[in-house]
Amino acid sequence: MVADNLKSILSELPTGVKLVAVSKFHPADDILEAYNAGHRRFGENRPQEFAAKVAELPSDIEWHFIGHLQTNKLKLVLPYASMVESVDSRRLLEAVEKWGSEHGKVIDVLLELHLGAEETKGGFTEKEIEDILSIEHEYPHVRFRGLMGMATNTDEESVVEADFSRIEAFKKRLDKEYDLPDFTELSIGMSHDWPIAVRHGATIVRIGTAIFGNRNY
Ligand SMILES: *Cc1c(COP(=O)(O)O)cnc(C)c1O
């Protein structure tokens, strides 16, 4: 099942677009099924669950952390994540910088842009992201790799299109205005909207349900 789903998505995904298989709430055995089918890039969103799976699973997995991260949970995540996709506040950014300097590590991050209609969703405004990028040298232990965003949760394709168009245009503007050679990633698109995201320049898609099935919360 998992292997078939994975194969079918990979066959449709243009080369160059990276797939993060979002395994949150699913057992390690499901991850191993994808692993044994050759997949190596997985995403988790809860620090405790993340750390437990890291300990249990093969060490050549490339883990992406994609959830809200509280500053008191950094030690569960930063030693193992190859990328934190969900940096959504200045406070978290400062804490990641501090952790990196204390541990002699540079952390790859994406800045989450608040997209979509939901007020409850996290993320920075465009202005806040520009303010950060204009002082990125103040964060020598953070490598800014790009943007992450989640579209409005709706079946209306035009609304999703509008959200992805906005983040795509913003990314292009940043590429022009800031000289950041590592700032190459645009992480947009989930199970129900990834084909739209791919049309809007996604370099990373984060897909859970379409690979692992429904989550039992
Ligand atoms: C859960 C989650 C996903 C995957 O969602 P699906 O709809 O299951 O594909 C992607 N991104 C983030 C940030 C998530 O929390």
Side-chain angles (χ1 to χ4, degrees), residues 3-104:
D4 292 338
N5 295 339
L6 192 61
K7 198 173 155 201
S8 118
I9 291 168
L10 286 171
S11 74
E12 289 174 56
L13 209 57
T15 37
V17 180
K18 294 182 273 296
L19 171 64
V20 173
V22 177
S23 45
K24 63 189 188 193
F25 293 88
H26 292 284
D29 278 352
D30 289 8
I31 301 178
L32 270 182
E33 195 180 336
Y35 181 91
N36 290 330
H39 197 68
R40 292 294 181 270
R41 194 181 299 106
F42 295 89
E44 289 283 336
N45 73 337
R46 297 186 302 176
Q48 238 95 28
E49 180 180 347
F50 174 82
K53 284 175 172 169
V54 168
E56 192 175 345
L57 286 158
S59 59
D60 62 342
I61 288 180
E62 176 187 325
W63 292 103
H64 288 224
F65 192 80
I66 62 170
H68 182 65
L69 184 54
Q70 286 173 300
T71 55
N72 61 351
K73 300 279 168 61
L74 296 188
K75 63 177 180 299
L76 292 174
V77 172
L78 298 188
Y80 318 108
S82 70
M83 184 179 282
V84 178
E85 295 203 14
S86 44
V87 171
D88 57 1
S89 75
R90 202 66 172 245
R91 192 175 128 89
L92 175 58
L93 186 58
E94 302 295 340
V96 170
E97 168 57 31
K98 183 159 178 282
W99 192 94
S101 83
E102 285 167 3
H103 294 81

Side-chain angles (χ1 to χ4, degrees), residues 2 16 25 31 37 78 90 130 136 146 157 163 173 177 180-181:
V2 168
F25 293 88
I31 301 178
L78 298 188
R90 202 66 172 245
E130 293 198 69
E136 55 89 29
E157 205 164 300
D163 288 341
R173 185 154 67 78
E177 290 176 10
L180 299 168

Side-chain angles (χ1 to χ4, degrees), residues 18 34 50 68 75 100 104 116 121 124 129 131-132 146 159 166 213:
K18 294 182 273 296
F50 174 82
H68 182 65
K75 63 177 180 299
K121 261 185 203 155
F124 293 109
I129 288 178
D131 288 347
I132 291 166
V159 175
R166 179 157 83 80

